[in-house]
């Protein structure tokens, strides 16, 4: 017979092994290191951008501008410009458009700059007061600062994960009971909600920053191009461009074409509105061959700006990339609002008091029990192994279907032997989530072949301070189980509402190990008697409060998913 005295229950929580902690710590530290490296580089570049805000705005005159085609595969078109300005009584000639040389793989984009800065135009340039010979026509964009929070996602995941791996847990004997545990849980959650809001704010910021260039702008152009004028054009150059870097090789369609509109000749190389490159050489080669073989291709010209033209207009599958930044934005906003609005109760706010039920039979759920002819109660697990497997499989299929919209591009580059390492890094958290869900489904699938426990109690209900006997048996190969543990737990739940959101606090206020054995015969079938502690709370269920008691079976199987089943039991108030 096992008893629980007033000194509290015994706990036998298994902490992760040192080897497991080291392995997981290295995984989390890789996130932290990569995120920190990108963060330092971004902050350094953003600091130089901030410094340009102190350069002096000075009138200047454009002397000339043109497109220079250089012998480079990636960005062959360079915008060159010359302008004259006077600073501190001395005349200077500048040749920088921005702080670094401006090159592009797009002829159309470079041509727009030549159109914007014709010879003789009076504009403003920005002069470095420490070096007046250094000036730019355009300062670097402060929008770079919006990208600074993005690497912090990796930093927080890495630092937080490593910290949790080595954080010291409070000794089991010091764990508070019932309401005290719940109040401590509320205190921690009240502080952590700001950290949660900050994490979601990073997602929202990144999504908002990418939404316009990757989503809104291409879609707006696609809609506007429906009214552009179809115009015959001549293909001057058509090729598949490769983009090599440390991140792998990707490919893009490049077509330079010439057309006449309202008596003037123009050039453009815009194929579609959503640019960029991706893996898959064959699909790009087919597009290039199609335009090389066409004698009279058609382009679509913007009548309000004839320099603006495109070969491919209309909606297509590639425009679904708009979902990528929208996904981050919705996750961020959807997480920040509940985190800030759903303020958890303070420790001074009392829990809703329990009211003793009028009738024990009317207040306890006995539907999970089956009473035998001898009067013993057969317990039913909360979820069967089959239900766990089906539920996890559905979740994994649904979630991975959504995640594939964002991860397939980088994964495809890896499968084709030209890995886009930077893209893989950015989507690695999503890939990890998908793999984790598939692993969870596989885990529960393997667990379906485990021995299945059957539990019997000597009575359908147990009063506080009362004694009962628990018997167990297994169907299946119990010889696979190395060690069996039977644990009794008491769990308290409190539900509360703030605004339109409902929250649930859950705390284990009682836990004790009833039985532990490695004997094969005792694992296959056995029994243990125990006495319910009298100075605790009975089972209870109301609209906002619940006290649940359960028996947990844990059968450790080396190299295989463990047997883990929970059986809910009913504890009644003290008799008499």
């Amino acid at each position: 017979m096992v008893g629980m005295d007033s000194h509290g229950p015994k706990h036998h929580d298994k902490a992760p092994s040192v080897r497991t902690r080291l392995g997981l710590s290295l995984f989390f530290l890789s996130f932290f290191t990569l995120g920190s490296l990108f963060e330092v580089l971004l902050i350094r570049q953003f600091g130089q951008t901030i410094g340009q805000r102190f350069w002096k705005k000075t009138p200047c005159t454009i002397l000339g501008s043109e497109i220079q085609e250089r012998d480079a595969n990636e960005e062959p078109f360079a915008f060159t410009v010359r302008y004259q300005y006077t600073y501190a009584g001395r005349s200077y000639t500048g040749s920088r458009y921005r702080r670094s040389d401006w090159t592009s793989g797009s002829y159309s984009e470079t041509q727009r700059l030549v159109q914007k800065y014709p010879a003789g135009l009076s504009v403003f340039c920005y002069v470095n007061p420490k070096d007046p010979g250094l000036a730019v026509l355009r300062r670097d964009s402060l929008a770079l600062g919006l990208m600074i929070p993005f690497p912090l996602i990796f930093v927080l995941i890495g630092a937080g994960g490593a910290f949790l791996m080595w954080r010291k847990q409070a000794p089991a004997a010091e764990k508070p009971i019932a309401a005290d545990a719940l109040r401590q849980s509320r205190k921690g959650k009240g502080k952590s909600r700001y950290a949660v809001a900050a994490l979601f704010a990073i997602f929202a910021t990144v999504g908002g920053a990418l939404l316009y260039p990757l989503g809104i702008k291409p879609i707006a152009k696609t809609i506007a191009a429906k009214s552009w004028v179809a115009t015959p054009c001549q293909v001057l150059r058509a090729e598949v461009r490769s983009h090599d870097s440390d991140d792998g090789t990707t490919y893009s369609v490049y077509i330079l074409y010439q057309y006449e509109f309202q008596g003037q000749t123009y050039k453009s190389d815009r194929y579609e509105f959503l640019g960029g490159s991706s893996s898959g050489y064959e699909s790009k080669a087919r597009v290039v061959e199609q335009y090389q073989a066409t004698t009279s291709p058609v382009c679509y010209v913007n009548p309000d700006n004839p320099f603006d033209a495109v070969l491919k207009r209309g909606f297509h599958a590639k425009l679904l990339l708009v979902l990528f930044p929208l996904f981050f934005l919705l996750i961020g906003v959807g997480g920040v609002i509940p985190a800030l609005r759903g303020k958890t109760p303070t420790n001074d706010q009392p829990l809703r008091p329990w009211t003793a039920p009028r009738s024990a039979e009317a207040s306890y759920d006995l539907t999970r029990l089956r009473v035998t002819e001898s009067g013993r109660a057969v317990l039913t697990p909360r979820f069967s192994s089959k239900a766990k497997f089906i539920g996890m499989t559905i979740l994994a299929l649904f979630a991975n279907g959504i995640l594939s919209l964002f991860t397939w591009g980088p994964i495809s580059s890896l499968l084709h032997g030209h890995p886009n390492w930077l893209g893989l890094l950015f989507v690695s958290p999503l890939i990890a989530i998908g793999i984790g869900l598939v692993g969870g489904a596989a885990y529960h699938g393997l667990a379906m072949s485990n021995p299945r426990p059957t539990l019997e109690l000597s009575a359908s209900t147990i009063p506080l301070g009362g004694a009962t006997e628990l018997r167990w048996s297994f169907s299946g190969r119990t010889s696979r189980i190395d060690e069996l543990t039977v644990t009794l737990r008491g769990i308290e739940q409190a539900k509360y509402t703030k605004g339109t959101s409902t929250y649930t606090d859950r705390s284990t206020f009682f836990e004790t190990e009833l039985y532990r054995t490695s004997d094969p015969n005792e694992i296959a079938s056995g029994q243990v008697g125990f006495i319910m502690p009298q100075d605790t709370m009975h089972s209870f269920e109301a609209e906002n409060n619940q006290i649940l008691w359960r028996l947990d079976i844990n059968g450790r199987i080396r190299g295989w998913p463990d047997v883990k089943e929970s059986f809910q039991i009913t504890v009644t108030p003290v008799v008499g």
Side-chain angles (χ1 to χ4, degrees):
M1 185 76 69
V2 177
M4 283 68 76
D5 56 29
S6 59
H7 296 290
K10 297 179 181 178
H11 295 261
H12 297 273
D13 294 334
K14 280 190 175 181
S17 65
V18 174
R19 181 181 298 178
T20 300
R21 289 183 177 185
L22 286 174
L24 291 174
S25 296
L26 290 175
F27 172 78
F28 286 119
L29 286 176
S30 65
F31 273 77
F32 178 81
T33 303
L34 290 173
S36 299
L37 178 61
F38 279 107
E39 187 68 19
V40 169
L41 294 176
L42 280 174
I43 291 177
R44 180 181 178 184
Q45 189 171 355
F46 187 64
Q48 295 174 344
T49 302
I50 291 293
Q52 285 188 329
R53 264 52 198 174
F54 298 96
W55 290 15
K56 299 298 181 180
K57 187 176 182 179
T58 306
C60 66
T61 302
I62 302 297
L63 301 178
S65 63
E66 62 179 356
I67 299 175
Q68 287 187 353
E69 186 170 357
R70 299 175 178 177
D71 188 15
N73 184 43
E74 290 286 337
E75 296 180 338
F77 303 110
F79 171 63
T80 60
V81 62
R82 294 177 65 254
Y83 49 93
Q84 191 173 38
Y85 61 94
T86 301
Y87 185 82
R90 184 177 174 182
S91 180
Y92 296 89
T93 299
S95 60
R96 290 178 180 265
Y97 172 60
R98 301 180 72 169
R99 182 160 50 95
S100 56
D101 290 341
W102 198 97
T103 60
S104 173
S106 170
Y107 183 93
S108 302
E109 188 176 357
T110 313
Q111 183 175 246
R112 281 192 290 271
L113 288 177
V114 174
Q115 182 185 5
K116 182 178 179 180
Y117 294 100
L121 180 69
S122 296
V123 294
F124 286 99
C125 60
Y126 300 90
V127 181
N128 185 352
K130 297 180 181 180
D131 182 10
L134 179 60
V136 295
L137 286 176
R138 184 177 179 180
R139 297 174 295 186
D140 294 341
S141 174
L142 292 175
L144 177 67
L146 296 175
M147 297 300 297
I148 290 179
F150 184 74
L152 290 179
I153 298 176
F154 298 89
V155 174
L156 291 175
I157 291 175
F163 172 76
L164 292 176
M165 285 297 99
W166 299 98
R167 184 181 64 173
K168 291 184 178 180
Q169 300 291 337
E174 299 178 5
K175 289 186 178 180
I177 299 177
D180 292 336
L182 193 58
R183 290 191 180 96
Q184 287 191 11
S185 174
R186 287 179 173 182
K187 182 179 179 181
K189 290 181 179 180
K191 293 180 179 179
S192 64
R193 66 188 181 92
Y194 295 107
V196 173
L199 181 62
F200 280 113
I202 293 175
F203 276 86
T205 302
V206 173
L210 297 178
L211 184 60
Y212 177 75
L214 291 184
I216 296 177
K217 184 178 180 180
I219 289 179
K221 280 282 192 179
T222 300
I223 295 174
K226 290 184 177 181
S227 61
W228 289 9
V229 180
T231 305
C233 63
Q234 178 186 358
V235 174
L236 303 178
R237 185 190 307 170
E239 60 189 16
V240 178
R241 285 187 173 176
S242 60
H243 308 274
D244 297 317
S245 68
D246 294 336
D247 304 318
T249 303
T250 55
Y251 305 95
S252 63
V253 172
Y254 181 78
I255 302 175
L256 178 64
Y257 51 96
Q258 180 176 288
Y259 57 94
E260 289 189 6
F261 190 82
Q262 296 179 347
Q264 294 190 23
T265 302
Y266 300 90
K267 291 181 181 180
S268 178
D269 59 358
R270 178 187 282 164
Y271 171 63
E272 59 185 1
F273 291 115
L274 193 60
S277 61
S278 61
S279 59
Y281 177 87
E282 292 78 8
S283 60
K284 281 81 174 178
R286 285 194 296 269
V287 173
V288 169
E289 290 173 0
Q290 175 186 347
Y291 278 94
Q292 287 175 336
T294 303
T295 55
S296 299
V298 174
C299 63
Y300 302 92
V301 181
N302 183 356
D304 298 326
N305 181 14
F307 287 96
D308 204 7
V310 68
L311 286 174
K312 183 180 179 180
R313 65 175 181 178
F315 285 92
H316 49 89
K318 197 174 179 181
L319 287 174
L320 291 176
L321 284 175
V322 67
L323 296 176
F324 178 74
L326 187 61
F327 173 75
F328 275 84
L329 181 62
L330 292 179
I331 286 181
V333 174
V336 168
I337 294 176
L340 295 180
R341 291 182 59 185
K343 186 176 180 181
T344 56
T346 64
N347 292 337
D348 296 331
Q349 293 176 299
L351 297 174
R352 181 170 297 188
W354 287 299
T355 303
R358 297 180 181 178
S359 168
E361 292 184 0
S363 302
Y364 304 120
D365 182 11
L366 305 179
T367 57
R368 295 184 180 275
L369 298 176
R370 178 172 58 85
V371 181
T372 64
E373 294 181 358
S374 61
R376 302 184 65 86
V378 180
L379 304 180
T380 304
R382 187 178 181 186
F383 298 105
S384 67
S385 57
K386 182 182 294 185
K388 294 177 184 177
F389 171 68
I390 293 175
M392 182 58 73
T393 301
I394 293 175
L395 176 62
L397 291 174
F398 178 76
N400 277 282
I402 296 177
L403 294 177
S404 65
L405 295 174
F406 314 104
T407 60
W408 176 246
I411 292 176
S412 177
S413 69
L414 182 64
L415 297 177
H416 284 83
H418 305 288
N420 180 1
W421 296 116
L422 184 59
L424 287 169
L425 172 65
F426 286 160
V427 301
S428 58
L430 301 181
I431 295 175
I433 292 173
I435 293 175
L437 291 173
V438 172
Y443 179 92
H444 288 293
L446 295 175
M448 290 177 62
S449 65
N450 285 343
R452 299 182 183 180
T454 300
L455 271 61
E456 293 184 7
L457 284 176
S458 57
S460 59
T461 61
I462 312 170
L464 294 173
T468 189
E469 182 185 63
L470 170 67
R471 293 182 182 178
W472 67 84
S473 61
F474 283 88
S475 61
R477 291 173 51 203
T478 56
S479 59
R480 300 168 56 199
I481 302 177
D482 299 320
E483 184 181 64
L484 177 68
T485 305
V486 182
T487 307
L488 174 66
R489 288 185 174 91
I491 300 168
E492 180 179 16
Q493 284 188 180
K495 185 189 300 182
Y496 56 94
T497 302
K498 277 290 179 180
T500 59
S501 301
T502 301
Y503 302 88
T504 300
D505 281 336
R506 186 181 181 93
S507 174
T508 299
F509 65 86
F510 185 90
E511 179 177 331
T512 188
E513 185 178 287
L514 299 180
Y515 203 82
R516 179 189 291 266
T517 181
S518 300
D519 188 310
N521 295 324
E522 294 180 357
I523 290 175
S525 63
Q527 62 185 38
V528 62
F530 63 94
I531 301 173
M532 289 297 301
Q534 188 169 349
D535 57 346
T536 185
M537 186 62 188
H538 55 80
S539 300
F540 179 79
E541 185 171 354
E543 182 180 356
N544 296 292
N545 300 95
Q546 273 189 310
I547 296 293
L548 305 175
W549 287 89
R550 74 186 193 197
L551 290 166
D552 293 337
I553 298 293
N554 189 350
R556 182 167 57 83
I557 302 177
R558 187 175 301 130
W560 195 263
D562 294 341
V563 176
K564 292 182 180 179
E565 298 289 354
S566 295
F567 301 83
Q568 189 170 323
I569 62 175
T570 302
V571 178
T572 60
V574 178
V575 177

